[in-house]
């Protein structure tokens, strides 16, 4: 059971890193800085940096504010296992 909990924690950490990387790539594709996103979203730069680094859990509300500040729509998918 402990191994299963550890594996789940690692999987969540990897998903957070992947999400953060996706967020950063989208921001950079729009030519925006962290300061730009902070100003538009009301999320402080330190929190944004932690999110984009995959070191901070992110709520749906924050994801929506982030995507709106990019001028993009938030879309979430629940996929079949690969």
């Amino acid at each position: 059971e402990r191994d299963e909990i550890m594996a789940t924690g690692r999987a969540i950490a990897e998903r957070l890193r992947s999400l953060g990387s996706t967020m950063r790539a989208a921001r950079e594709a729009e030519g925006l800085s962290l300061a730009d996103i902070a100003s538009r979203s009301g999320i402080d730069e330190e929190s944004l940096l932690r999110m984009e680094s995959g070191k901070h859990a992110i709520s749906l509300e924050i994801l929506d504010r982030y995507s709106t500040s990019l001028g993009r729509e938030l879309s979430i998918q629940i996929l079949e296992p690969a």
Side-chain angles (χ1 to χ4, degrees), residues 44-60:
D44 66 274
E45 285 185 59
E46 183 178 334
S47 293
L48 290 169
L49 182 60
R50 291 175 49 83
M51 285 183 254
E52 288 188 357
S53 299
K55 297 177 182 174
H56 193 286
I58 307 168
S59 70
L60 185 56

Side-chain angles (χ1 to χ4, degrees), residues 22-41 45 48-49 52 65-72:
T22 299
M23 292 169 69
R24 182 175 36 259
R27 176 178 58 77
E28 290 173 347
E30 296 296 330
L32 298 171
S33 68
L34 285 173
D36 294 329
I37 298 298
S39 174
R40 293 176 180 199
S41 69
E45 285 185 59
L48 290 169
L49 182 60
E52 288 188 357
R65 286 167 52 192
Y66 189 97
S67 63
T68 299
S69 70
L70 292 172
R72 295 185 178 197

